[in-house]
Amino acid sequence: MKVIDNVWHLIKPEWLEYLNTCPALQFPKDLDLPKDMTANTLLGENSWELNQDELEWYTIGGYDPHGTNYEGFDSHNCPFDIAETINFGRPKNAGWWIVRQHPGQYMPWHRDLTCANDGCYTYWIPLNDWEPGHIFVYADKTISHYKKGDVFQFDDSYEWHTGCNIGYSTRTVLQIRTYD
Amino acid sequence: MNFIGNYATWIEQEWIDEILSNDGWTVPRDLSKDPQVQLNEDERKWFSSGYKMSDHFFSAFYKDDCSFEITPPWSPQSWDWWIVKMMPGQFIPVHGDLAMATRKNAKSYWMPWQDWKDGHIFMYEDQTVINYKKGDVYEYDASIKHCAINIGSVPRIVLQVRSYE
């Protein structure tokens, strides 16, 4: 996990305005997960499928499948496409999503299992300066004192990681994933 | 965080079993039951930041909540203690123990009752404490900002000790 760039100059004020003020998808609440969390299930019209780590959040960890642990944006619920502007040289093969966490929200410990193929690159870009209580842990490393717009490239898109907000203000992070 | 030593053999399994099978105090919800409790500046800031007093951040066990007595083997001084149980998804927001700054020669100790597990996070200043072993004892400056969260899959149990002259 290393800082390779800072792209704050590419972040448009109207994106931030939207992200700071508009409703987002509530996870996992809006996934409409079944009460029976003992089997991996295709879910609703969005065909969400839980990966093994996510399934264990509910079956082993006891997390509430109908609560809100974090909020999310992507091209489906935003009037803009960030990958048109920030794509690390792969405009045709870039996807993005944004995680917004209000104080007390978190994402349980997990891997991004769907991207474990070769030629996948994951970039983690905070949209706020670091403050105490804003936690990002990648493998056994804690990422602190970052600046908004810093670009951290995952060494391995498949690595265990988590992001949490037990601080005093909202934490918003952009993630971009590209493929060869 | 200053490593003091490992006292794993001092921890009785029945203590762990008792904590796991009981509720203790629901913090912060149950704080309203105790008129003596006064929130410090950091704690008041939690509730102006969106945390709710009715929430269940974690469970706390004090002397009166336990059938066993704690006598920390590493400290010859007077002490207070409590045990924190965090189920997956529970946490304590960032704070400093501000009262510590006014106590004469006060010392704070942190002792996990399990080996470190993925998703068990104690953040002190700007780093998380990892790869610890059950019974490790760390002395730390509790007035420095710290916080903890369990985003793993098993409960997290930690003994906190404050010693005073």
Side-chain angles (χ1 to χ4, degrees), chain A residues 56-57 60-63 102-109 130 132-137 139-145 160 162 164-169, chain B residues 42-43 45-46 49-51 88-96 116 118-119 121 123 125-128 130-131 145 147-154:
Chain A
E56 289 182 4
W57 295 349
I60 297 176
Y63 293 91
H102 300 297
Q105 295 186 334
Y106 55 83
M107 192 173 291
W109 191 241
W130 178 79
H134 286 194
I135 297 173
F136 184 68
V137 178
D140 59 356
K141 300 287 190 299
T142 307
I143 311 299
S144 305
H145 299 292
W160 288 92
T162 187
C164 316
N165 181 4
I166 44 175
Y168 298 129
S169 64
Chain B
D42 285 349
E43 292 162 343
K45 198 172 173 183
W46 295 345
S49 301
Y51 300 96
Q90 295 187 331
F91 55 82
I92 182 165
V94 67
H95 66 287
W116 179 71
D118 287 336
I121 291 176
M123 191 161 193
E125 289 191 289
D126 57 359
Q127 290 298 313
T128 50
I130 61 170
N131 292 330
K145 290 279 189 289
C147 53
I149 186 166
N150 179 2
I151 36 99
S153 55
V154 297

Side-chain angles (χ1 to χ4, degrees), chain A residues 107-147:
Chain A
M107 192 173 291
W109 191 241
H110 69 286
R111 296 163 291 178
D112 295 340
L113 295 174
T114 53
C115 68
N117 55 315
D118 291 338
C120 170
Y121 301 89
T122 300
Y123 304 91
W124 185 88
I125 305 169
L127 300 180
N128 317 95
D129 291 343
W130 178 79
E131 64 174 58
H134 286 194
I135 297 173
F136 184 68
V137 178
Y138 173 86
D140 59 356
K141 300 287 190 299
T142 307
I143 311 299
S144 305
H145 299 292
Y146 50 73
K147 295 293 183 186

